Amino acid sequence: MGKARKPRIIVRDANMKDLHDLLSNYVLVQKEIKENTFIGIPLSEKKPTLKSERKWLTKLIGDVKKGKAVASVAVVDGKVVGMCDVTPSGSSPEARHMANLGILVRKGYRSMGIGSLLIESSLKKAKKKYRVVKLDVFGFNKGAQRLYKRFGFKTYGVLPEAFIRAKTLKIDKVMMYLKFK
């Protein structure tokens, strides 16, 4: 038996051509949560529409062009399989130095280093725009917490039972931050 081919992963800035892949990834993760409540991503109740995702992506790409945000995608075999964005924490002038990091990698492409590549690329760009990047991670998602710590994120708090999934699964929210030097 031959070795499985290691896929070529391209990390680049997101663009409007990524809309359908990004929507597909999000919908697939929503379905995955119904099968496995221990997926570490909070999602909306309703399936997003193409119109709502187009609006979201248009704003995000606009913010990237204005230098207000970062949006990186991972592409394997011509398909977007992951995204990491770093977006402003708020509109207050006192908080303009802070941003939030969000990441999603599609099932079947996790544990391949894609998350690390996306975070590395996004943080490199974010360092030029922000002083502090924050994120929230589910308490049970120890793998993600280890990944974020490798990039220098530190835990600054835990909110017990911040989320309740499937009516009975109580999930703590771990809040982490990275301060650029």
Side-chain angles (χ1 to χ4, degrees):
M1 289 188 120
K3 270 186 167 179
R5 173 182 82 84
K6 186 176 179 183
R8 182 167 171 250
I9 303 162
I10 298 167
V11 175
R12 61 164 172 76
D13 290 340
N15 63 58
M16 289 307 294
K17 293 177 185 172
D18 301 326
L19 178 63
H20 289 280
D21 283 349
L22 292 171
L23 178 59
S24 174
N25 292 345
Y26 192 81
V27 169
L28 286 171
V29 171
Q30 275 190 319
K31 287 180 184 175
E32 186 181 358
I33 287 173
K34 289 178 182 169
E35 299 164 11
N36 178 2
T37 55
F38 286 97
I39 297 299
I41 301 168
L43 298 171
S44 62
E45 248 181 278
K46 294 181 180 178
K47 180 179 170 182
T49 65
L50 188 58
K51 182 179 178 181
S52 68
E53 287 297 284
R54 182 177 284 117
K55 183 178 177 182
W56 165 78
L57 188 58
T58 299
K59 181 183 179 335
L60 179 59
I61 299 297
D63 286 349
V64 169
K65 288 179 180 174
K66 292 175 194 168
K68 294 181 182 179
V70 171
S72 301
V73 294
V75 181
V76 175
D77 297 328
K79 177 172 54 177
V80 174
V81 299
M83 178 176 182
C84 183
D85 61 7
V86 181
T87 56
S89 285
S91 57
S92 168
E94 291 90 356
R96 286 192 184 135
H97 67 288
M98 291 192 302
N100 297 317
L101 182 141
I103 186 167
L104 183 146
V105 177
R106 181 180 180 145
K107 184 178 181 180
Y109 294 90
R110 297 181 194 133
S111 300
M112 297 170 67
I114 290 173
S116 293
L117 291 171
L118 284 168
I119 292 170
E120 181 179 22
S121 173
S122 298
L123 289 178
K124 187 176 181 180
K125 295 171 196 170
K127 190 174 187 175
K128 299 172 187 171
K129 302 174 189 324
Y130 300 105
R131 290 184 53 220
V132 177
V133 175
K134 308 179 301 173
L135 61 85
D136 296 334
V137 60
F138 285 174
F140 61 71
N141 197 343
K142 302 299 183 193
Q145 291 174 50
R146 282 190 300 274
L147 173 65
Y148 299 137
K149 285 178 182 175
R150 282 200 314 262
F151 282 96
F153 282 86
K154 295 179 176 146
T155 300
Y156 69 92
V158 176
L159 181 58
E161 299 180 15
F163 302 97
I164 298 177
R165 181 175 279 170
K167 298 182 182 170
T168 58
L169 179 61
K170 296 172 181 160
I171 305 169
D172 295 347
K173 176 169 71 170
V174 177
M175 298 165 286
M176 302 178 81
Y177 77 98
L178 171 66
K179 185 175 178 186
F180 294 118
K181 297 180 191 251

